[in-house]
Amino acid sequence: MIDPVTGSRLQFALTTIVHIIFPVMSMGLAPFLVYFTWKDIRTGKPIYEQLRRFWTRIFAVSFVVGTVTGIVLEFEFGTNFAAFSTTAGELFGGPLALEGMMAFMLEATFLGIFVFGRDRVGNVLYMISAVAVGVGTWLSAVWILIANSWMQTPRGYELATENGQTIVHLVDPIAAYANPRFPWMFVHMQNAAVESVALFMAGLGAYFVFRHHVWGYPIEDVEFWEVTLKIGIVALLITAPLQVLHGDLYARHIFETQPQKFAAMEAVWETDAYVPEYIVAFPTSLQDLLDPRAKDIFGIGIPGGASWLASGGDPQATIQGLNEFEGPQPPVALVFWAFRLMVALGFWFVLLAVWGGYRWWRGELLEDDLLHKALMGSTLLGIVAVELGWIVTEVGRQPWVIQDVLRTSEGVSSGLSGTEATVTLVGFAVVYLGLLALYTYVVVRIVRAGPPDVASVTPTEGSDATAPEVSGDD
């Protein structure tokens, strides 16, 4: 049997890895749906009705499955991490409750109108419903990330003892909820969600455009997929560079607030200056893969790059090594390689955006088969990058569940046995992977069905319907 600490961590990791896919889709789709709805109401062009109705279907499915899988996560705080809930419940419970009462209820209330009410309500109310659903989706992220960011950089609390139990007592809600990590996490997460959906759109659009324009297969409503491809590229041109630039600043903030995590991200064991930043790193042995160390890695690095990244411009800056920190270290291999892959994907998305924008500008977007293949291969890589980012965030914080306050091993439910942890882990794996398979099946069915039928859509190349309007001047 797996010990309760390991079993609880694996179970929470599994459920989070699966669950995060659905909020990424719904949060990333929210701004697109608001835009499609506004353009549909304002212009009356059939292409925007098609876009709104098609992507609303995927949004609704993502919302439903995300709700089901997300509720279970909150119960796990009680079943698997009761000691953590007892210690931090006064502070941690507030944001989770507000997420349900404020964000979820706002989203759920207007979702019915948005999904089913286009022919039953006026334009103003329908537009309000679209905005409310989008705001509710993003408000959920606000409260969830407030709770998580506090665990990374806890503020506004004091430790007290009640009935022999050490608890976190909230003394300054503003300092706690507006902690230093929250704005960094919120911007990075929300931009990543939009970027992931942009890649998803561009990948789907590229698939049908490739089949029609390159292979010559007749594709019904090919204009819909051409517009989808172009919208994805426009969004990617905005979000991909922003994610890389913001990530650079975010890493600097981590160095200042969680130096142990930063050292794990760079595999720095001994305190040193002029530490290189490995853009490309290769394990030359099993030892390098399982126990990476910056000085022993084979790869392409920028001399002093990690020091420059940490300090904001000084390649001679000193990075505190992992050996300087007492107690267990985070799983360095997992953090180091996840960070490398995430950064590599970030730059790949920038390349895709520039590539697609350039080919569009040259008028060759619809015929570039190599670009189409690259976009198709990258359809789900945005979600993969999000998963890697959360691995760096959560695994890099170990051994702490609340940074420098409570260790993960101390936060697990004391009455949980190894048998119980193992059985529930297996059960959750079956259920959650089954839900993911069902979600994938439904989304594939929606995509195969294609855009919904509306009034005749006969745009021509270069018309407003084939090139998404971003200025809003009409």
Side-chain angles (χ1 to χ4, degrees):
M1 295 294 105
I2 302 174
D3 73 89
V5 175
T6 302
S8 296
R9 291 178 63 183
L10 289 175
Q11 180 177 311
F12 202 86
L14 169 70
T15 50
T16 303
I17 284 172
V18 175
H19 167 72
I20 195 63
I21 295 171
F22 315 119
V24 166
M25 292 298 295
S26 58
M27 291 186 304
L29 278 171
F32 290 101
L33 292 178
V34 171
Y35 173 73
F36 295 154
T37 303
W38 175 65
K39 295 298 291 185
D40 178 24
I41 292 173
R42 189 174 183 187
T43 69
K45 293 176 180 177
I47 187 66
Y48 290 111
E49 181 182 351
Q50 283 189 307
L51 287 164
R52 173 183 58 78
R53 290 173 58 186
F54 177 84
W55 290 105
T56 296
R57 294 172 181 175
I58 295 180
F59 176 91
V61 174
S62 302
F63 173 81
V64 170
V65 183
T67 300
V68 172
T69 55
I71 289 175
V72 174
L73 285 172
E74 298 192 10
F75 281 103
E76 285 182 303
F77 288 120
T79 58
N80 293 76
F81 293 93
F84 162 76
S85 299
T86 301
T87 301
E90 180 176 326
L91 193 143
F92 200 76
L96 296 185
L98 286 170
E99 188 267 339
M101 294 186 296
M102 180 188 297
F104 176 77
M105 293 307 297
L106 174 66
E107 188 178 6
T109 299
F110 283 94
L111 184 61
I113 299 175
F114 183 64
V115 175
F116 303 110
R118 183 66 185 100
D119 300 326
R120 296 175 174 83
V121 299
N123 289 340
V124 173
L125 180 55
Y126 192 74
M127 188 71 230
I128 290 174
S129 72
V131 174
V133 168
V135 170
T137 303
W138 281 44
L139 269 179
S140 290
V142 168
W143 293 112
I144 295 301
L145 293 178
I146 281 176
N148 188 277
S149 61
W150 180 83
M151 295 164 64
Q152 309 284 338
T153 54
R155 300 288 189 278
Y157 74 97
E158 63 181 19
L159 296 178
T161 302
E162 291 186 4
N163 300 321
Q165 173 76 42
T166 300
I167 64 168
V168 171
H169 179 54
L170 179 63
V171 295
D172 188 346
I174 295 178
Y177 294 166
N179 63 80
R181 179 59 53 83
F182 169 70
W184 295 100
M185 293 190 76
F186 182 76
V187 172
H188 209 62
M189 180 64 210
Q190 300 311 99
N191 190 72
V194 177
E195 183 181 24
S196 298
V197 169
L199 285 161
F200 189 75
M201 285 184 168
L204 287 184
Y207 171 74
F208 289 99
V209 167
F210 176 80
R211 294 189 67 189
H212 183 80
H213 288 280
V214 179
W215 279 3
Y217 289 173
I219 300 294
E220 188 176 357
D221 293 314
V222 69
E223 295 86 0
F224 172 87
W225 297 111
E226 291 171 3
V227 175
T228 298
L229 171 60
K230 292 175 181 179
I231 289 174
I233 289 175
V234 169
L236 203 58
L237 281 166
I238 298 171
T239 56
L242 175 60
Q243 194 73 352
V244 171
L245 293 173
H246 185 266
D248 172 69
L249 299 173
Y250 190 1
R252 197 166 305 151
H253 169 74
I254 292 175
F255 170 74
E256 295 170 352
T257 55
Q258 292 179 297
Q260 187 177 22
K261 178 189 290 187
F262 187 87
M265 289 161 54
E266 299 296 344
V268 178
W269 288 86
E270 303 292 339
T271 299
D272 201 359
Y274 201 63
V275 178
E277 175 66 32
Y278 286 95
I279 301 175
V280 180
F282 302 97
T284 56
S285 65
L286 183 62
Q287 179 69 16
D288 286 343
L289 180 65
L290 301 179
D291 185 23
R293 295 174 181 268
K295 289 188 174 182
D296 301 328
I297 294 172
F298 174 78
I300 301 173
I302 302 174
S307 295
W308 183 90
L309 177 66
S311 63
D314 181 10
Q316 298 293 338
T318 299
I319 295 179
Q320 190 175 5
L322 288 164
N323 290 335
E324 299 291 328
F325 299 94
E326 297 182 0
Q329 302 293 350
V332 176
L334 188 56
V335 177
F336 176 81
W337 294 114
F339 181 66
R340 295 270 126 11
L341 290 173
M342 179 188 67
V343 170
L345 287 176
F347 282 105
W348 170 243
F349 300 154
V350 173
L351 175 61
L352 278 179
V354 175
W355 186 2
Y358 174 74
R359 300 299 280 178
W360 187 2
W361 175 69
R362 290 288 303 270
E364 300 167 341
L365 176 63
L366 304 182
E367 292 77 29
D368 189 341
D369 60 328
L370 186 59
L371 173 62
H372 298 163
K373 293 175 182 178
L375 288 170
M376 285 188 280
S378 303
T379 304
L380 300 178
L381 290 185
I383 295 175
V384 172
V386 171
E387 301 280 16
L388 292 170
W390 276 106
I391 288 173
V392 174
T393 298
E394 296 303 299
V395 178
R397 188 183 64 232
Q398 300 305 315
W400 304 99
V401 63
I402 306 176
Q403 184 69 47
D404 299 324
V405 175
L406 182 70
R407 293 184 184 271
T408 304
S409 58
E410 300 168 344
V412 174
S413 303
S414 58
L416 185 66
S417 68
T419 301
E420 292 169 333
T422 303
V423 171
T424 55
L425 171 61
V426 173
F428 271 75
V430 172
V431 172
Y432 267 66
L433 293 177
L435 284 172
L436 180 58
L438 179 61
Y439 173 81
T440 303
Y441 171 76
V442 173
V443 171
V444 169
R445 285 285 300 269
I446 293 173
V447 172
R448 285 182 174 176
D453 293 329
V454 294
S456 60
V457 184
T458 56
T460 58
E461 181 65 26
S463 68
D464 290 337
T466 58
E469 301 169 70
V470 296
S471 63
D473 292 333
D474 54 291

